[in-house]
Structure formats: C-alpha cells, structure tokens
Amino acid sequence: MPLKILSVDDSKMIHTVIGKAFKSYNVDLIFASNGVEGLAAAAREKPDIMILDVTMPVMDGIETLGKLKADPSLKDIPVIMLTAEAGKENVIKIARIGIRDYIIKPFTEQLVVERVGRVIDLQPRGTSEAKVKTLDDPVNILVVEDKPAIIEQIRDAAGNSPWKIIGCGQCGEAIDYTSKEIPDVILISISLPDKAAFNFFQMMRANQRTKSVPVFGLSVKTAVEEQNQAQAIGFNGIFTKPLDMQELQYRLSKAMGLDTSKRYFQLEGNAMFVRIPNDPSTIVATEMTGYIQPKLREMVDSGLSKLVVDASEVQKVDMGIIKMMLNIVQNAKELGVKFRVVGTQAFGDQAQSYEDTKDFEIYPDRQSALSSF
Amino acid sequence: MHLVSSFIRGGMREIFSTMLTMEITSVEDIPDEIEPPLRLSGVTGQVSLAGKFNGSVYLNFPEQFSKVCACSILGSTPETIAPEEVNDVIGELTNMVTGSLKSKMTDRGFNCQLSVPSVMRGENVEIDSNHINIKLYNEFHYDGKAENVIKVYVFARLEE
C-alpha cells in the first residue's frame, strides 16, 4: 500500500512542486486547497502525513492545525507546516502547536522530500509492486573516478547493453547529477583526495532519494586500510583494480536486483533451454545455480515439461560443472520434467568418467535433442 | 538604498533561483524611490501587510514574461497555459517575496500579518497609497533582456 501524503495549500503551484518532488516515490498524493477541504480530506483518507500551508483563504493553516489536533481520530496525523514567513516569532508560534517540522518558502523539491522522509518511510516507486528489471532494461551507472581510463574501461565493458555509464571526475559533478537523477548503482574511487568518497557516500545515505542506491568502492588491491574503512561505513562492496569486468557486471546486476536468468535460461517453442557456461567462475556458478529451481518451477507452472540442458560450450568437465548438471537434473526429476543433454563429443567422453553423469545420453545439437522427446 | 529594498532584492533572487531556477539580477543604477500613484500594465500580484509594518507589496510582470515564469515551474508551454494558472504562480511568488520581507521586518521588531495574495491584470491599472513613508521601487531582469522585467513596489508605513 502506498503511503498517503495530503498537501493542503491554496496554490496549485505548490501542489505542482510537491507532485514533482514525490513523483519517484511510492506515495499517493492528495491535494486540498484550504483548511476546510484539508480536514475533510484528512478524515476521509487518513493520510500518513499532512503538508499544511499557513496562509490560505477560508481557513488558514493555524486554525486547521488546531481543529486537527482537537479531533481524536485525526490528532496523530503528523503535520509539516509550510510557511513563507521565516521570522523567529512565527516559527516559535507554529512550533508550539504540535507540528513535526516546518518548511520555509521558497523550498526545493529535495528539501521537502528530505523533511517528509524523516517522518514517514519513503520508498522509491516500483519497489513494492516491483516489475523486476532485466538485462534488457536501461540502467544508469554513476562512476565517480578521477582516472578517465577506468571510466572508459567500464563504458567499454557495458558495450551495446542498455547500461548507461555516467562518468564524473569529481564528487561535485556527481552530487549535481544525483540531485537531478537517481542512479541505479554508484561506483566511486575511494582514493579520491580529502576522503571525498566517504563524504559522498554519507551524503547519499543521508538523502532520502539516494539512501537505497547501492554504492561500491573502486580501489587498488593494496589500499587495504581504505577498503576496510569503506566496508565499515557501509559500502555495498569493493572492486579492486585492475577491474575484472565479468565480476563487475555480475555483482552490479545482483546489487541492482536485475533478473539475469536470460544469461542461462531461454524459452523456445514448447521447451526450456538452459545453457551451461564454460569454466564458470564462482560468481557465475552461484548466479546460475540460484535460478535453477525457480526457473524450472516457472516452466512447469506455465505448462511446459521439456528441458534441454545445453553444455555444448563446456570444454572441460570438472566437479563444478558436474554439480551444476546434477542440480538441474535433480530438480527436473522432482518436478517431473523430461530432460535431454546437448554437448560435444569431448564433453560426452569426460562426463562418462563421473559416476553421476556416466549414463547421460549426449545429443550433438539442440535440434536433435528436441526431436528425441 | 533603503533597508527594505535590500531585503526585497535578496528575497527576489533567492525565490526565483530556488522555485524557478532563474537567476535574476537587480537593476542597480536607478533610484529605489518612487512616488504613487502609478499605472501598471501586465500581470500584478499584490499582498497586504498589517501591523507595525503595514502597506502593500506589488510584483508586476509583462504578460508574456509572467507566462514564461509560470511555465518554468508548472512545466507547461506559454501557448497552452491558462491565465488562472499564471495568476496562481504570480500570486504565490508575491506571497513568498512578501513573506520573506515580513520575516526580516518582524525580526527587527516590526511585527505584521499578511493577507492572501490577489492578482490584477490589465492595461494602465492605477495603484495608489495614502499616509505612507516608504515608497520603493526595485527592478529585476532575467537573461539580460529588457522584456524579461519584474517591477517590485513597496508602499508601506512603519508604526511606532
């Protein structure tokens, strides 16, 4: 359920600014143009917070607040007052009548989000109803690094994927960027001068809009003290230079919660194909293994019962590959899924030397495996 | 320059920068005093002050520039924006400028209350004020263009 924010103000301009401020959050905005309408909306909608203007026609904010606090069913609604009058006397007066905070006009969108975020737990839009992003969806990766070559390497690694790399040489540029856009993930060199990466990290975590964005440090292997410091204050992880681009892609995908199952699982016609990668690193094996059970359940749930395990890329069979194959086969058997294995002659020969795979019938290509069902 | 003019200039720059992301400049080489009555054209926001500092603050915009300002905050286009929407933005900007002035005057012991803003439109609208001793005029430009002008008038009196 989205949180409800009630904005009571006689100006549509203020409603527009508040609407823009919260557009990327999972909230329902309710607008009222004076105190009378505001109280009616509060009784009807039971908002999680009210943003209340002071100067309004019909019933001003001070009177509205008094009536709200006098109503047992509404008195617990937290109120943030919005006022164009910053004088000490005015601020003291409104603070005495039971508000959670106040905002002086003019105000930025960022400020109103920050103040509201101190009172209610704002969640970025989409986190609850969650259309899970996949590898085909565009994502923005902010790279804060004073070595342009590193930014270029990351950009090259992204290649033709929909991943957009935003390179910033200094934290100031990155702060400007994050004030306008919320990146999906941030990479920052922890060796920037004056501990800038650590200050930047703390700014991101203190800001309601960016507090959930994963932040990874970039570091040389030997800068152990800096790496420990980054881990201690809550960085999501560290990548050491020279960067292993495969590791970078896989860990960033995971941090962004991307559905990467397409790397291994494909539905074609009335069968599911699962690709066994050659010489998988631990991170690849872990990622792939994590998808086996849910993807097989998904295929059964959607009425499919044919699985082709394609190991034709595998050049050398080792215990890692055998474990992966067994995991697939075991899940397939439990779910009543028929399976076939595709591989090269060399794969077949090597598989025969393992007790668990020696009886596999190996097909030379996907087509022959499919037609054998 | 009158102290109230310095408050107006600071408030105007801050409000336009924060709410409209417009960096406006105050015109420095003109006197900040003016004698009413005046005739204004375009769109004018007005807010009254009552108390130890009482009078009125007026923000006057050429019609086309009032649309530009309103569009920059509402995300509309000058061709499609409704006059009521422009009035709303001009009224709220006038409220903010007067609220900012009120805060500074209250902190100096001149407490006062604000009215809700009103907005006037038309050619040669006459404004006048009686029994006042503060008669100020400040002019602001945006983007260095003479047509992007905002004229701010303060007609007020300090009560002992």
mmCIF file of all heavy atoms in Angstrom, chain A residues 9-14 16-17 20 53 55-57 84-90 93 105-108, chain B residues 14-15 18-19 72-74 88-89 92-93 95-96 99-100 102-103 106-107 111 113-117:
data_model
loop_
_atom_site.group_PDB
_atom_site.id
_atom_site.type_symbol
_atom_site.label_atom_id
_atom_site.label_comp_id
_atom_site.label_asym_id
_atom_site.label_seq_id
_atom_site.Cartn_x
_atom_site.Cartn_y
_atom_site.Cartn_z
ATOM 1 N N ASP A 9 -2.912 23.430 0.463
ATOM 2 C CA ASP A 9 -2.345 24.714 0.047
ATOM 3 C C ASP A 9 -3.282 25.330 -0.973
ATOM 4 O O ASP A 9 -3.848 24.604 -1.793
ATOM 5 C CB ASP A 9 -0.948 24.484 -0.557
ATOM 6 C CG ASP A 9 -0.113 25.754 -0.566
ATOM 7 O OD1 ASP A 9 -0.581 26.757 -1.148
ATOM 8 O OD2 ASP A 9 0.977 25.763 0.000
ATOM 9 N N ASP A 10 -3.428 26.649 -0.919
ATOM 10 C CA ASP A 10 -4.336 27.283 -1.880
ATOM 11 C C ASP A 10 -3.670 27.485 -3.237
ATOM 12 O O ASP A 10 -4.328 27.908 -4.182
ATOM 13 C CB ASP A 10 -4.844 28.629 -1.337
ATOM 14 C CG ASP A 10 -3.708 29.582 -1.041
ATOM 15 O OD1 ASP A 10 -2.652 29.115 -0.562
ATOM 16 O OD2 ASP A 10 -3.866 30.795 -1.266
ATOM 17 N N SER A 11 -2.381 27.191 -3.340
ATOM 18 C CA SER A 11 -1.668 27.430 -4.598
ATOM 19 C C SER A 11 -1.440 26.129 -5.362
ATOM 20 O O SER A 11 -0.837 25.184 -4.842
ATOM 21 C CB SER A 11 -0.321 28.087 -4.318
ATOM 22 O OG SER A 11 0.446 28.090 -5.485
ATOM 23 N N LYS A 12 -1.911 26.130 -6.618
ATOM 24 C CA LYS A 12 -1.660 24.956 -7.464
ATOM 25 C C LYS A 12 -0.162 24.812 -7.746
ATOM 26 O O LYS A 12 0.324 23.727 -8.000
ATOM 27 C CB LYS A 12 -2.416 25.103 -8.792
ATOM 28 C CG LYS A 12 -3.875 24.785 -8.663
ATOM 29 C CD LYS A 12 -4.549 24.846 -10.025
ATOM 30 C CE LYS A 12 -6.050 24.723 -9.876
ATOM 31 N NZ LYS A 12 -6.763 25.214 -11.044
ATOM 32 N N MET A 13 0.523 25.957 -7.715
ATOM 33 C CA MET A 13 1.971 25.916 -7.955
ATOM 34 C C MET A 13 2.659 25.050 -6.894
ATOM 35 O O MET A 13 3.524 24.233 -7.210
ATOM 36 C CB MET A 13 2.521 27.346 -7.916
ATOM 37 C CG MET A 13 4.017 27.442 -7.836
ATOM 38 S SD MET A 13 4.529 29.172 -7.767
ATOM 39 C CE MET A 13 5.949 29.063 -6.713
ATOM 40 N N ILE A 14 2.227 25.207 -5.644
ATOM 41 C CA ILE A 14 2.840 24.410 -4.569
ATOM 42 C C ILE A 14 2.473 22.933 -4.752
ATOM 43 O O ILE A 14 3.319 22.048 -4.588
ATOM 44 C CB ILE A 14 2.383 24.930 -3.184
ATOM 45 C CG1 ILE A 14 2.860 26.381 -2.990
ATOM 46 C CG2 ILE A 14 2.894 24.029 -2.057
ATOM 47 C CD1 ILE A 14 4.353 26.592 -2.998
ATOM 48 N N THR A 16 1.963 21.493 -7.532
ATOM 49 C CA THR A 16 2.787 21.006 -8.650
ATOM 50 C C THR A 16 4.199 20.667 -8.173
ATOM 51 O O THR A 16 4.752 19.616 -8.525
ATOM 52 C CB THR A 16 2.861 22.073 -9.763
ATOM 53 O OG1 THR A 16 1.547 22.376 -10.184
ATOM 54 C CG2 THR A 16 3.672 21.587 -10.943
ATOM 55 N N VAL A 17 4.764 21.556 -7.369
ATOM 56 C CA VAL A 17 6.132 21.324 -6.882
ATOM 57 C C VAL A 17 6.167 20.061 -6.019
ATOM 58 O O VAL A 17 7.070 19.221 -6.151
ATOM 59 C CB VAL A 17 6.642 22.548 -6.082
ATOM 60 C CG1 VAL A 17 7.988 22.254 -5.447
ATOM 61 C CG2 VAL A 17 6.748 23.766 -6.985
ATOM 62 N N LYS A 20 5.907 17.005 -8.209
ATOM 63 C CA LYS A 20 7.179 16.680 -8.878
ATOM 64 C C LYS A 20 8.168 16.069 -7.882
ATOM 65 O O LYS A 20 8.911 15.149 -8.213
ATOM 66 C CB LYS A 20 7.778 17.949 -9.507
ATOM 67 C CG LYS A 20 7.073 18.373 -10.785
ATOM 68 C CD LYS A 20 7.923 19.306 -11.626
ATOM 69 C CE LYS A 20 7.956 20.697 -11.086
ATOM 70 N NZ LYS A 20 8.587 21.697 -11.932
ATOM 71 N N ASP A 53 -0.096 24.450 4.504
ATOM 72 C CA ASP A 53 0.299 25.852 4.306
ATOM 73 C C ASP A 53 -0.275 26.696 5.439
ATOM 74 O O ASP A 53 -1.319 26.357 6.015
ATOM 75 C CB ASP A 53 -0.250 26.329 2.950
ATOM 76 C CG ASP A 53 0.250 27.712 2.571
ATOM 77 O OD1 ASP A 53 1.342 28.106 3.033
ATOM 78 O OD2 ASP A 53 -0.453 28.406 1.817
ATOM 79 N N THR A 55 -0.767 30.390 5.216
ATOM 80 C CA THR A 55 -1.651 31.452 4.727
ATOM 81 C C THR A 55 -2.562 30.925 3.630
ATOM 82 O O THR A 55 -2.096 30.622 2.528
ATOM 83 C CB THR A 55 -0.807 32.616 4.176
ATOM 84 O OG1 THR A 55 0.170 32.965 5.161
ATOM 85 C CG2 THR A 55 -1.669 33.824 3.873
ATOM 86 N N MET A 56 -3.844 30.782 3.976
ATOM 87 C CA MET A 56 -4.819 30.276 2.997
ATOM 88 C C MET A 56 -6.145 30.987 3.218
ATOM 89 O O MET A 56 -6.452 31.370 4.356
ATOM 90 C CB MET A 56 -5.050 28.767 3.191
ATOM 91 C CG MET A 56 -3.888 27.894 2.816
ATOM 92 S SD MET A 56 -4.297 26.137 2.992
ATOM 93 C CE MET A 56 -4.458 25.977 4.757
ATOM 94 N N PRO A 57 -6.955 31.104 2.170
ATOM 95 C CA PRO A 57 -8.297 31.646 2.367
ATOM 96 C C PRO A 57 -9.205 30.599 3.029
ATOM 97 O O PRO A 57 -8.812 29.436 3.147
ATOM 98 C CB PRO A 57 -8.760 31.947 0.933
ATOM 99 C CG PRO A 57 -7.976 31.012 0.086
ATOM 100 C CD PRO A 57 -6.676 30.767 0.772
ATOM 101 N N ALA A 84 5.652 30.965 4.300
ATOM 102 C CA ALA A 84 6.519 31.930 3.629
ATOM 103 C C ALA A 84 7.169 32.857 4.647
ATOM 104 O O ALA A 84 7.978 33.703 4.292
ATOM 105 C CB ALA A 84 5.701 32.749 2.634
ATOM 106 N N GLU A 85 6.798 32.689 5.926
ATOM 107 C CA GLU A 85 7.259 33.624 6.945
ATOM 108 C C GLU A 85 8.273 32.943 7.853
ATOM 109 O O GLU A 85 7.922 32.103 8.666
ATOM 110 C CB GLU A 85 6.061 34.114 7.760
ATOM 111 C CG GLU A 85 4.980 34.696 6.870
ATOM 112 C CD GLU A 85 3.654 34.820 7.596
ATOM 113 O OE1 GLU A 85 3.645 35.002 8.819
ATOM 114 O OE2 GLU A 85 2.627 34.721 6.921
ATOM 115 N N ALA A 86 9.522 33.323 7.683
ATOM 116 C CA ALA A 86 10.590 32.644 8.410
ATOM 117 C C ALA A 86 10.948 33.328 9.720
ATOM 118 O O ALA A 86 11.859 32.889 10.410
ATOM 119 C CB ALA A 86 11.831 32.565 7.527
ATOM 120 N N GLY A 87 10.239 34.403 10.086
ATOM 121 C CA GLY A 87 10.611 35.135 11.307
ATOM 122 C C GLY A 87 10.597 34.240 12.532
ATOM 123 O O GLY A 87 9.792 33.315 12.622
ATOM 124 N N LYS A 88 11.478 34.564 13.483
ATOM 125 C CA LYS A 88 11.621 33.714 14.679
ATOM 126 C C LYS A 88 10.283 33.568 15.395
ATOM 127 O O LYS A 88 9.897 32.482 15.818
ATOM 128 C CB LYS A 88 12.617 34.356 15.640
ATOM 129 C CG LYS A 88 14.052 34.224 15.221
ATOM 130 C CD LYS A 88 14.946 34.970 16.202
ATOM 131 C CE LYS A 88 16.210 35.448 15.517
ATOM 132 N NZ LYS A 88 16.746 36.666 16.103
ATOM 133 N N GLU A 89 9.568 34.690 15.520
ATOM 134 C CA GLU A 89 8.314 34.677 16.276
ATOM 135 C C GLU A 89 7.308 33.722 15.641
ATOM 136 O O GLU A 89 6.654 32.939 16.322
ATOM 137 C CB GLU A 89 7.739 36.093 16.307
ATOM 138 C CG GLU A 89 6.598 36.245 17.290
ATOM 139 C CD GLU A 89 6.099 37.690 17.282
ATOM 140 O OE1 GLU A 89 6.929 38.607 17.420
ATOM 141 O OE2 GLU A 89 4.891 37.874 17.096
ATOM 142 N N ASN A 90 7.233 33.784 14.315
ATOM 143 C CA ASN A 90 6.303 32.913 13.600
ATOM 144 C C ASN A 90 6.677 31.447 13.755
ATOM 145 O O ASN A 90 5.838 30.587 14.001
ATOM 146 C CB ASN A 90 6.284 33.291 12.119
ATOM 147 C CG ASN A 90 5.242 32.510 11.348
ATOM 148 O OD1 ASN A 90 4.072 32.569 11.659
ATOM 149 N ND2 ASN A 90 5.694 31.747 10.365
ATOM 150 N N LYS A 93 5.812 30.268 17.155
ATOM 151 C CA LYS A 93 4.362 30.132 17.300
ATOM 152 C C LYS A 93 3.875 28.809 16.687
ATOM 153 O O LYS A 93 3.141 28.062 17.324
ATOM 154 C CB LYS A 93 3.664 31.312 16.604
ATOM 155 C CG LYS A 93 2.162 31.336 16.819
ATOM 156 C CD LYS A 93 1.531 32.591 16.250
ATOM 157 C CE LYS A 93 1.300 32.470 14.754
ATOM 158 N NZ LYS A 93 0.705 33.647 14.144
ATOM 159 N N LYS A 105 9.165 28.700 2.775
ATOM 160 C CA LYS A 105 9.190 29.000 1.341
ATOM 161 C C LYS A 105 10.193 30.123 1.093
ATOM 162 O O LYS A 105 10.245 31.046 1.922
ATOM 163 C CB LYS A 105 7.815 29.447 0.864
ATOM 164 C CG LYS A 105 6.705 28.435 1.000
ATOM 165 C CD LYS A 105 5.388 29.075 0.587
ATOM 166 C CE LYS A 105 4.212 28.178 0.824
ATOM 167 N NZ LYS A 105 2.939 28.835 0.480
ATOM 168 N N PRO A 106 10.959 30.109 0.021
ATOM 169 C CA PRO A 106 10.976 29.121 -1.050
ATOM 170 C C PRO A 106 11.682 27.845 -0.603
ATOM 171 O O PRO A 106 12.561 27.888 0.254
ATOM 172 C CB PRO A 106 11.763 29.822 -2.154
ATOM 173 C CG PRO A 106 12.713 30.714 -1.422
ATOM 174 C CD PRO A 106 11.969 31.163 -0.198
ATOM 175 N N PHE A 107 11.303 26.737 -1.218
ATOM 176 C CA PHE A 107 11.908 25.468 -0.847
ATOM 177 C C PHE A 107 12.177 24.658 -2.105
ATOM 178 O O PHE A 107 11.514 24.850 -3.130
ATOM 179 C CB PHE A 107 10.990 24.685 0.094
ATOM 180 C CG PHE A 107 9.671 24.339 -0.530
ATOM 181 C CD1 PHE A 107 9.496 23.145 -1.208
ATOM 182 C CD2 PHE A 107 8.598 25.215 -0.461
ATOM 183 C CE1 PHE A 107 8.274 22.832 -1.796
ATOM 184 C CE2 PHE A 107 7.379 24.906 -1.046
ATOM 185 C CZ PHE A 107 7.222 23.711 -1.716
ATOM 186 N N THR A 108 13.148 23.763 -2.023
ATOM 187 C CA THR A 108 13.445 22.899 -3.174
ATOM 188 C C THR A 108 12.659 21.596 -3.036
ATOM 189 O O THR A 108 12.237 21.230 -1.938
ATOM 190 C CB THR A 108 14.939 22.549 -3.237
ATOM 191 O OG1 THR A 108 15.279 21.873 -2.024
ATOM 192 C CG2 THR A 108 15.804 23.792 -3.386
ATOM 193 N N GLU B 14 16.628 34.923 -4.233
ATOM 194 C CA GLU B 14 16.553 33.583 -3.647
ATOM 195 C C GLU B 14 15.305 32.837 -4.139
ATOM 196 O O GLU B 14 15.370 31.656 -4.503
ATOM 197 C CB GLU B 14 16.526 33.685 -2.119
ATOM 198 C CG GLU B 14 16.586 32.302 -1.468
ATOM 199 C CD GLU B 14 16.215 32.312 0.007
ATOM 200 O OE1 GLU B 14 15.907 33.384 0.558
ATOM 201 O OE2 GLU B 14 16.227 31.217 0.596
ATOM 202 N N ILE B 15 14.190 33.534 -4.162
ATOM 203 C CA ILE B 15 12.930 32.875 -4.537
ATOM 204 C C ILE B 15 12.941 32.462 -6.006
ATOM 205 O O ILE B 15 12.562 31.331 -6.351
ATOM 206 C CB ILE B 15 11.740 33.795 -4.198
ATOM 207 C CG1 ILE B 15 11.576 33.849 -2.675
ATOM 208 C CG2 ILE B 15 10.450 33.360 -4.891
ATOM 209 C CD1 ILE B 15 10.855 35.056 -2.141
ATOM 210 N N THR B 18 15.425 29.495 -6.369
ATOM 211 C CA THR B 18 15.008 28.218 -5.772
ATOM 212 C C THR B 18 13.780 27.634 -6.459
ATOM 213 O O THR B 18 13.736 26.445 -6.772
ATOM 214 C CB THR B 18 14.702 28.416 -4.268
ATOM 215 O OG1 THR B 18 15.810 29.051 -3.660
ATOM 216 C CG2 THR B 18 14.427 27.086 -3.580
ATOM 217 N N MET B 19 12.768 28.476 -6.684
ATOM 218 C CA MET B 19 11.499 27.938 -7.178
ATOM 219 C C MET B 19 11.456 27.828 -8.704
ATOM 220 O O MET B 19 10.787 26.956 -9.237
ATOM 221 C CB MET B 19 10.320 28.807 -6.726
ATOM 222 C CG MET B 19 10.170 28.950 -5.228
ATOM 223 S SD MET B 19 10.072 27.404 -4.293
ATOM 224 C CE MET B 19 8.601 26.624 -4.912
ATOM 225 N N SER B 72 7.841 27.759 -16.317
ATOM 226 C CA SER B 72 9.077 27.134 -15.845
ATOM 227 C C SER B 72 8.825 26.310 -14.588
ATOM 228 O O SER B 72 9.546 25.367 -14.308
ATOM 229 C CB SER B 72 10.168 28.173 -15.614
ATOM 230 O OG SER B 72 10.079 28.707 -14.338
ATOM 231 N N ILE B 73 7.805 26.654 -13.845
ATOM 232 C CA ILE B 73 7.540 25.878 -12.624
ATOM 233 C C ILE B 73 6.451 24.833 -12.826
ATOM 234 O O ILE B 73 6.483 23.773 -12.210
ATOM 235 C CB ILE B 73 7.215 26.817 -11.448
ATOM 236 C CG1 ILE B 73 7.408 26.074 -10.129
ATOM 237 C CG2 ILE B 73 5.828 27.388 -11.522
ATOM 238 C CD1 ILE B 73 7.611 26.980 -8.966
ATOM 239 N N LEU B 74 5.497 25.122 -13.720
ATOM 240 C CA LEU B 74 4.392 24.172 -13.907
ATOM 241 C C LEU B 74 4.679 23.165 -15.018
ATOM 242 O O LEU B 74 3.943 22.207 -15.197
ATOM 243 C CB LEU B 74 3.091 24.918 -14.223
ATOM 244 C CG LEU B 74 2.592 25.893 -13.140
ATOM 245 C CD1 LEU B 74 1.314 26.575 -13.592
ATOM 246 C CD2 LEU B 74 2.360 25.186 -11.822
ATOM 247 N N ASP B 88 -2.063 32.110 -10.433
ATOM 248 C CA ASP B 88 -1.715 31.332 -9.236
ATOM 249 C C ASP B 88 -0.221 31.444 -8.934
ATOM 250 O O ASP B 88 0.183 31.672 -7.797
ATOM 251 C CB ASP B 88 -2.113 29.870 -9.460
ATOM 252 C CG ASP B 88 -1.791 28.999 -8.270
ATOM 253 O OD1 ASP B 88 -2.563 29.043 -7.302
ATOM 254 O OD2 ASP B 88 -0.763 28.318 -8.282
ATOM 255 N N VAL B 89 0.599 31.293 -9.981
ATOM 256 C CA VAL B 89 2.058 31.347 -9.775
ATOM 257 C C VAL B 89 2.479 32.765 -9.353
ATOM 258 O O VAL B 89 3.258 32.924 -8.405
ATOM 259 C CB VAL B 89 2.806 30.899 -11.052
ATOM 260 C CG1 VAL B 89 4.301 31.176 -10.928
ATOM 261 C CG2 VAL B 89 2.561 29.428 -11.316
ATOM 262 N N GLU B 92 1.507 33.345 -5.774
ATOM 263 C CA GLU B 92 2.344 32.611 -4.817
ATOM 264 C C GLU B 92 3.741 33.229 -4.727
ATOM 265 O O GLU B 92 4.327 33.312 -3.642
ATOM 266 C CB GLU B 92 2.428 31.137 -5.233
ATOM 267 C CG GLU B 92 3.096 30.226 -4.234
ATOM 268 C CD GLU B 92 2.455 30.222 -2.845
ATOM 269 O OE1 GLU B 92 1.230 30.409 -2.733
ATOM 270 O OE2 GLU B 92 3.209 30.073 -1.860
ATOM 271 N N LEU B 93 4.279 33.667 -5.868
ATOM 272 C CA LEU B 93 5.594 34.328 -5.820
ATOM 273 C C LEU B 93 5.507 35.621 -5.002
ATOM 274 O O LEU B 93 6.403 35.926 -4.206
ATOM 275 C CB LEU B 93 6.096 34.631 -7.241
ATOM 276 C CG LEU B 93 6.476 33.409 -8.087
ATOM 277 C CD1 LEU B 93 6.782 33.840 -9.525
ATOM 278 C CD2 LEU B 93 7.681 32.687 -7.509
ATOM 279 N N ASN B 95 3.425 36.211 -2.611
ATOM 280 C CA ASN B 95 3.302 35.768 -1.212
ATOM 281 C C ASN B 95 4.672 35.440 -0.622
ATOM 282 O O ASN B 95 4.983 35.820 0.510
ATOM 283 C CB ASN B 95 2.376 34.545 -1.175
ATOM 284 C CG ASN B 95 2.187 33.995 0.221
ATOM 285 O OD1 ASN B 95 1.961 34.748 1.167
ATOM 286 N ND2 ASN B 95 2.283 32.686 0.366
ATOM 287 N N MET B 96 5.489 34.752 -1.401
ATOM 288 C CA MET B 96 6.811 34.363 -0.895
ATOM 289 C C MET B 96 7.705 35.590 -0.677
ATOM 290 O O MET B 96 8.415 35.691 0.316
ATOM 291 C CB MET B 96 7.497 33.394 -1.859
ATOM 292 C CG MET B 96 6.886 32.019 -1.844
ATOM 293 S SD MET B 96 7.868 30.907 -2.870
ATOM 294 C CE MET B 96 6.700 29.590 -3.110
ATOM 295 N N GLY B 99 6.376 37.387 2.286
ATOM 296 C CA GLY B 99 6.669 36.602 3.493
ATOM 297 C C GLY B 99 8.119 36.745 3.905
ATOM 298 O O GLY B 99 8.445 36.866 5.087
ATOM 299 N N SER B 100 8.996 36.747 2.919
ATOM 300 C CA SER B 100 10.421 36.910 3.200
ATOM 301 C C SER B 100 10.693 38.289 3.805
ATOM 302 O O SER B 100 11.440 38.423 4.789
ATOM 303 C CB SER B 100 11.190 36.709 1.885
ATOM 304 O OG SER B 100 12.470 37.228 1.974
ATOM 305 N N LYS B 102 8.448 40.166 5.380
ATOM 306 C CA LYS B 102 7.808 40.194 6.695
ATOM 307 C C LYS B 102 8.721 39.578 7.766
ATOM 308 O O LYS B 102 8.853 40.101 8.866
ATOM 309 C CB LYS B 102 6.486 39.416 6.644
ATOM 310 C CG LYS B 102 5.787 39.391 7.983
ATOM 311 C CD LYS B 102 5.049 38.118 8.253
ATOM 312 C CE LYS B 102 4.931 37.932 9.769
ATOM 313 N NZ LYS B 102 3.871 37.074 10.189
ATOM 314 N N SER B 103 9.358 38.441 7.421
ATOM 315 C CA SER B 103 10.229 37.760 8.381
ATOM 316 C C SER B 103 11.335 38.698 8.854
ATOM 317 O O SER B 103 11.637 38.776 10.046
ATOM 318 C CB SER B 103 10.885 36.538 7.737
ATOM 319 O OG SER B 103 9.911 35.717 7.178
ATOM 320 N N THR B 106 9.840 41.521 10.998
ATOM 321 C CA THR B 106 9.404 41.027 12.309
ATOM 322 C C THR B 106 10.606 40.823 13.229
ATOM 323 O O THR B 106 10.566 41.149 14.408
ATOM 324 C CB THR B 106 8.612 39.709 12.126
ATOM 325 O OG1 THR B 106 7.483 39.978 11.315
ATOM 326 C CG2 THR B 106 8.140 39.156 13.465
ATOM 327 N N ASP B 107 11.686 40.271 12.660
ATOM 328 C CA ASP B 107 12.896 40.066 13.470
ATOM 329 C C ASP B 107 13.478 41.391 13.958
ATOM 330 O O ASP B 107 14.276 41.418 14.893
ATOM 331 C CB ASP B 107 13.948 39.287 12.670
ATOM 332 C CG ASP B 107 13.559 37.814 12.519
ATOM 333 O OD1 ASP B 107 12.641 37.378 13.245
ATOM 334 O OD2 ASP B 107 14.165 37.116 11.684
ATOM 335 N N ASN B 111 6.365 43.704 13.801
ATOM 336 C CA ASN B 111 5.533 42.524 13.556
ATOM 337 C C ASN B 111 4.349 42.888 12.653
ATOM 338 O O ASN B 111 3.811 43.988 12.734
ATOM 339 C CB ASN B 111 5.024 41.979 14.887
ATOM 340 C CG ASN B 111 4.546 40.543 14.745
ATOM 341 O OD1 ASN B 111 4.687 39.949 13.681
ATOM 342 N ND2 ASN B 111 3.968 39.995 15.795
ATOM 343 N N GLN B 113 1.042 41.043 9.872
ATOM 344 C CA GLN B 113 0.332 39.883 9.311
ATOM 345 C C GLN B 113 0.193 40.081 7.799
ATOM 346 O O GLN B 113 0.108 41.222 7.327
ATOM 347 C CB GLN B 113 -1.072 39.764 9.923
ATOM 348 C CG GLN B 113 -1.088 39.581 11.433
ATOM 349 C CD GLN B 113 -0.401 38.293 11.866
ATOM 350 O OE1 GLN B 113 -0.596 37.251 11.249
ATOM 351 N NE2 GLN B 113 0.426 38.383 12.897
ATOM 352 N N LEU B 114 0.118 38.958 7.096
ATOM 353 C CA LEU B 114 -0.028 39.030 5.627
ATOM 354 C C LEU B 114 -1.441 38.689 5.203
ATOM 355 O O LEU B 114 -2.090 37.847 5.818
ATOM 356 C CB LEU B 114 0.897 38.004 4.945
ATOM 357 C CG LEU B 114 2.389 38.073 5.180
ATOM 358 C CD1 LEU B 114 3.083 37.100 4.233
ATOM 359 C CD2 LEU B 114 2.894 39.469 4.952
ATOM 360 N N SER B 115 -1.891 39.305 4.123
ATOM 361 C CA SER B 115 -3.157 38.886 3.511
ATOM 362 C C SER B 115 -2.873 37.754 2.536
ATOM 363 O O SER B 115 -1.705 37.477 2.210
ATOM 364 C CB SER B 115 -3.776 40.053 2.736
ATOM 365 O OG SER B 115 -3.015 40.304 1.567
ATOM 366 N N VAL B 116 -3.931 37.100 2.061
ATOM 367 C CA VAL B 116 -3.727 36.160 0.957
ATOM 368 C C VAL B 116 -3.469 37.006 -0.301
ATOM 369 O O VAL B 116 -3.948 38.134 -0.406
ATOM 370 C CB VAL B 116 -4.940 35.214 0.755
ATOM 371 C CG1 VAL B 116 -5.086 34.265 1.914
ATOM 372 C CG2 VAL B 116 -6.212 35.992 0.540
ATOM 373 N N PRO B 117 -2.717 36.474 -1.263
ATOM 374 C CA PRO B 117 -2.388 37.291 -2.433
ATOM 375 C C PRO B 117 -3.582 37.507 -3.367
ATOM 376 O O PRO B 117 -4.482 36.671 -3.426
ATOM 377 C CB PRO B 117 -1.294 36.480 -3.138
ATOM 378 C CG PRO B 117 -1.401 35.099 -2.612
ATOM 379 C CD PRO B 117 -2.046 35.164 -1.284
#
